Amino acid sequence: DLHSFPTRRSSDLRLEMLVKNGLLGMLLVIVCLLLFMDMPSALAVSLGIPVSFAGALAALDMTGGTLNMISLLGLLMATGIIVDDAIVIAESVRSSVREGLEPALAAVEGTHRVAMPVLASSATTIIAFIPLMYVEGVMGKLIYVLPVIVIVAIIASAVEAFLILPAHLCEWAVRKRSATEGESWRGRVR
């Protein structure tokens, strides 16, 4: 009998599809980063995605929201937005290293050089989403979680890009420098 088998609800299938699309989107973002950046910078920038998502999911929990199609759509929308500030900072730090600065100083100088434009970019995006938090009625209650997720993801991304990313780039630049001086395991094997 066809009706004796349990069927999955269509909302479960849509949620599953959204999760798959989100993971594919993150993978495509990482591939894109690898196409245009060196491996250490691309990986450092990619690390900001889960950090931003963790911040957004923590805010979702604190506001009493649930992980549903709208909140996942917010995470999906944020995926492309949250790497922008990290890309700008990573490229600035990388440029400072190429100019001959020591990695630690390059991380500080490179981050400082682009701090205001990155903050302005994040602020304007946040400001664009704030009005969605004040939509009234049923629709407002339904979509309230969307701007919250995106705004918190952008804030978490900015914090990660300014505080954690430069430290990773500095450490990896030091390792790369020592590797080119023959101090890596590959240099010792040759």
Side-chain angles (χ1 to χ4, degrees):
D1 185 8
L2 183 62
H3 298 289
S4 64
F5 293 105
T7 59
R8 293 173 57 184
R9 294 183 0 210
S10 64
S11 60
D12 290 340
L13 293 173
R14 286 186 300 222
L15 195 59
E16 183 180 305
M17 179 192 66
L18 200 54
V19 168
K20 285 180 182 177
N21 287 347
L23 292 173
L24 180 61
M26 280 196 320
L27 178 66
L28 290 173
V29 166
I30 292 167
V31 168
C32 188
L33 290 171
L34 287 169
L35 288 174
F36 295 101
M37 301 177 85
D38 63 330
M39 179 75 81
S41 297
L43 292 177
V45 168
S46 298
L47 289 174
I49 297 171
V51 169
S52 300
F53 281 7
L57 292 174
L60 181 67
D61 186 50
M62 286 188 275
T63 59
T66 61
L67 194 59
N68 55 35
M69 286 184 50
I70 294 175
S71 57
L72 284 174
L73 179 63
L75 286 173
L76 192 59
M77 288 174 60
T79 302
I81 298 169
I82 60 178
V83 296
D84 291 349
D85 49 5
I87 291 170
V88 172
I89 290 172
E91 283 301 310
S92 181
V93 169
R94 190 169 160 226
S95 174
S96 295
V97 168
R98 279 196 308 265
E99 291 169 1
L101 293 178
E102 289 296 316
L105 184 59
V108 172
E109 290 296 319
T111 303
H112 185 263
R113 183 184 314 160
V114 295
M116 291 310 292
V118 168
L119 288 173
S121 173
S122 295
T124 57
T125 306
I126 288 169
I127 289 168
F129 277 91
I130 287 175
L132 289 176
M133 295 173 69
Y134 298 101
V135 173
E136 295 178 354
V138 175
M139 181 56 99
K141 289 179 183 177
L142 185 66
I143 67 165
Y144 178 79
V145 71
L146 181 75
V148 170
I149 287 279
V150 173
I151 289 169
V152 173
I154 292 169
I155 291 170
S157 172
V159 168
E160 190 277 337
F162 281 106
L163 300 179
I164 299 169
L165 176 66
H168 283 161
L169 294 171
C170 174
E171 174 66 26
W172 292 341
V174 168
R175 286 185 185 175
K176 185 176 181 181
R177 180 174 285 170
S178 67
T180 59
E181 294 170 0
E183 296 175 14
S184 71
W185 66 271
R186 281 188 252 158
R188 288 192 300 268
V189 171
R190 289 183 190 164

